């Protein structure tokens, strides 16, 4: 697509419809390699365009890693994949000081965290110190090596995966650290037709899924700026607050049957994440205003990992998803 020139001779800024067309191209490119995971790709892009980190959870073989690595190829951004293992050290992630014998000085060797996209594969397989180093970088957008603090290049996005099976020998992320992820996505099995297509592709030993880069760093910041301009009414902002408070005090929202199960509701990060994610959904739908449905669409992914239920809930078979669904049904838009 050729760009028109402004009066200064510089390329004119892209219009919202140009960016929206590019987003559709991203889905098409990823679809050349990954089958049937449009929902996951949608959530990854919401994270990318709103500055929110994403945690993916699903059983092995559901293309979590493949989707993220394919998405990285569609973006003009540096990408690093880190396989988290029990023997991984914080210095393996953030970097360390190396002594240069020739010059008799210590030099900084930066780790893979110094990238725009970082895939933390099986993040729950590394000890707490490594997880803390990762999550500190996610929050502060900077890393300290020795006595010097280095800012991370923006955009900086961590896409982490974990699987719910084989929990022996893993180090589950503490709730306070999981809260730093904007969304937690549960990746489910494919539909029959999609799995049939995957089987046919992978059975062909000569199959190569080549993708072409679509989005530049400038495009990403341009889309972020447009999403920030999406309008959300004061009524819907108050609706977000009501949803958040309903997770903390269900009895106040005609949800007394869930009050005994909630140990902790969601943090203020949830309100911010709902606000940003709803704007992104509206922009994807080519609107410059947020609808209630936009908030409801992302509510489960934003809230599910932030609500902490007690052991009584587990004993009675009450799930976080049940509470979220009940909240969305009961809390009115006033």
């Amino acid at each position: 697509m050729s760009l028109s020139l402004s009066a200064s001779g510089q390329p004119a800024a892209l219009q919202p419809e140009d960016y929206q067309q590019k987003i559709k191209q991203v889905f098409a490119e990823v679809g050349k390699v990954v089958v049937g995971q449009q929902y996951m790709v949608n959530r990854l892009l919401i994270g990318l365009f709103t500055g929110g980190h994403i945690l993916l959870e699903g059983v092995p073989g559901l293309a979590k890693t493949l989707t993220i690595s394919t998405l990285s190829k569609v973006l003009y951004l540096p990408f690093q994949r880190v396989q988290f293992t029990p023997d991984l050290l914080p210095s393996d992630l953030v970097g360390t000081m190396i002594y240069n014998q020739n010059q008799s000085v210590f030099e900084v060797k930066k780790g893979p965290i110094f990238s725009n996209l970082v895939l933390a594969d099986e993040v729950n397989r590394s000890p707490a110190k490594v997880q803390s180093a990762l999550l500190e970088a996610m929050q502060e957008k900077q890393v300290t090596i020795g006595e010097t603090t280095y800012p991370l290049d923006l955009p900086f996005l961590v896409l982490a995966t974990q699987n719910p099976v084989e929990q022996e020998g893993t180090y589950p992320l503490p709730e306070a650290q999981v809260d730093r992820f904007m969304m937690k996505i549960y990746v489910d099995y494919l539909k029959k037709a999609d799995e049939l297509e995957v089987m046919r592709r992978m059975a062909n030993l000569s199959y190569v899924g080549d993708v072409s880069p679509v989005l530049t760093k400038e495009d990403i910041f341009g889309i972020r700026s447009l999403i920030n301009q999406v309008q959300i009414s004061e009524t819907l902002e108050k609706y977000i607050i009501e949803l958040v408070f309903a997770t903390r005090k269900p009895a106040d929202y005609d949800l007394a049957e869930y009050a005994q199960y909630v140990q902790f509701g969601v943090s203020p990060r949830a309100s911010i994440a709902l606000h940003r994610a709803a704007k992104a959904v509206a922009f994807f739908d080519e609107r410059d205003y947020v609808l209630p449905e936009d908030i409801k669409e992302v509510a489960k992914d934003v809230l599910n990992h932030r609500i902490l239920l007690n052991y009584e809930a587990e004993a009675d078979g009450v799930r976080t998803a049940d509470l979220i669904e009940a909240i969305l049904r009961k809390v009115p838009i006033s």
Side-chain angles (χ1 to χ4, degrees):
M1 177 175 58
S2 61
L3 300 180
S4 59
L5 296 180
S6 64
S8 62
Q10 298 297 320
L14 292 177
Q15 298 301 309
E17 54 269 22
D18 297 320
Y19 286 124
Q20 287 158 349
Q21 185 59 38
K22 284 197 170 192
I23 292 173
K24 293 176 182 177
Q25 291 176 17
V26 169
F27 278 97
E29 289 296 322
V30 175
K32 293 179 181 178
V33 177
V34 181
V35 178
Q37 294 291 7
Q38 291 86 355
Y39 182 88
M40 190 196 327
V41 176
N42 176 278
R43 294 311 191 248
L44 292 175
L45 289 178
I46 288 178
L48 177 65
F49 297 142
T50 58
H53 309 288
I54 306 295
L55 178 61
L56 302 177
E57 181 173 304
V59 299
L62 296 183
K64 300 185 295 296
T65 303
L66 177 64
T67 302
I68 294 172
S69 60
T70 302
L71 179 61
S72 71
K73 297 175 183 176
V74 182
L75 308 174
Y76 289 96
L77 292 177
F79 168 75
Q80 289 285 350
R81 176 182 181 270
V82 182
Q83 182 65 50
F84 278 54
T85 57
D87 60 348
L88 194 71
L89 299 174
S91 58
D92 296 328
L93 180 66
V94 302
T96 187
M97 303 290 290
I98 302 293
Y99 184 69
N100 186 327
Q101 292 184 341
N102 295 331
Q103 300 181 12
S104 299
V105 294
F106 282 95
E107 296 178 344
V108 173
K109 181 182 180 183
K110 294 182 178 180
I113 198 73
F114 288 90
S115 188
N116 291 118
L117 291 178
V118 177
L119 167 57
D121 214 357
E122 295 192 278
V123 67
N124 57 333
R125 294 214 174 271
S126 64
K129 283 188 176 182
V130 179
Q131 295 175 357
S132 296
L134 172 68
L135 293 164
E136 181 182 4
M138 290 165 50
Q139 183 68 21
E140 307 298 334
K141 303 293 192 300
Q142 63 184 26
V143 169
T144 301
I145 303 175
E147 298 180 353
T148 306
T149 299
Y150 300 90
L152 297 171
D153 188 31
L154 300 179
F156 174 68
L157 184 68
V158 172
L159 307 172
T161 70
Q162 62 180 18
N163 66 66
V165 299
E166 298 183 56
Q167 292 302 309
E168 185 175 348
T170 63
Y171 304 82
L173 294 170
E175 285 77 10
Q177 295 181 343
V178 173
D179 187 42
R180 298 186 184 182
F181 287 96
M182 179 184 189
M183 292 189 285
K184 181 179 181 181
I185 314 301
Y186 290 99
V187 185
D188 204 353
Y189 288 108
L190 296 172
K191 297 177 181 178
K192 290 181 181 179
D194 292 331
E195 188 146 348
L196 178 62
E197 176 62 22
V198 170
M199 181 182 67
R200 286 171 174 169
R201 284 190 187 185
M202 296 301 105
N204 182 358
L205 299 180
S206 61
Y207 172 77
V208 178
D210 292 327
V211 297
S212 301
V214 175
L215 291 177
T216 65
K217 185 181 296 188
E218 291 72 23
D219 289 332
I220 293 170
F221 285 122
I223 293 172
R224 283 188 179 185
S225 177
L226 289 172
I227 288 175
N228 194 48
Q229 296 172 34
V230 172
Q231 298 298 308
I232 179 169
S233 67
E234 184 177 353
T235 299
L236 292 184
E237 288 181 329
K238 290 181 178 179
Y239 176 58
I240 290 175
I241 298 301
E242 295 298 327
L243 292 177
V244 166
F245 270 72
T247 68
R248 301 169 186 169
K249 297 181 178 180
D252 294 350
Y253 293 84
D254 195 22
L255 294 164
E257 67 271 25
Y258 289 97
Q260 61 179 318
Y261 299 123
V262 177
Q263 188 170 354
F264 293 106
V266 302
S267 74
R269 287 194 182 107
S271 339
I272 299 168
L274 276 173
H275 196 279
R276 291 178 178 175
K279 283 187 171 185
V281 172
F283 182 79
F284 283 11
D285 285 346
E286 302 183 11
R287 284 181 279 106
D288 61 358
Y289 56 91
V290 174
L291 296 175
E293 290 73 16
D294 300 329
I295 299 170
K296 293 178 179 180
E297 181 177 333
V298 293
K300 179 181 177 182
D301 297 327
V302 169
L303 301 177
N304 63 47
H305 58 299
R306 293 183 162 97
I307 298 173
L308 183 60
L309 301 182
N310 55 30
Y311 290 109
E312 189 177 351
E314 184 177 355
D316 292 348
V318 176
R319 304 172 304 151
T320 304
D322 299 329
L323 173 58
I324 295 173
E325 289 172 4
I327 288 173
L328 292 176
R329 288 196 307 268
K330 292 281 189 178
V331 176
I333 304 174
S334 56

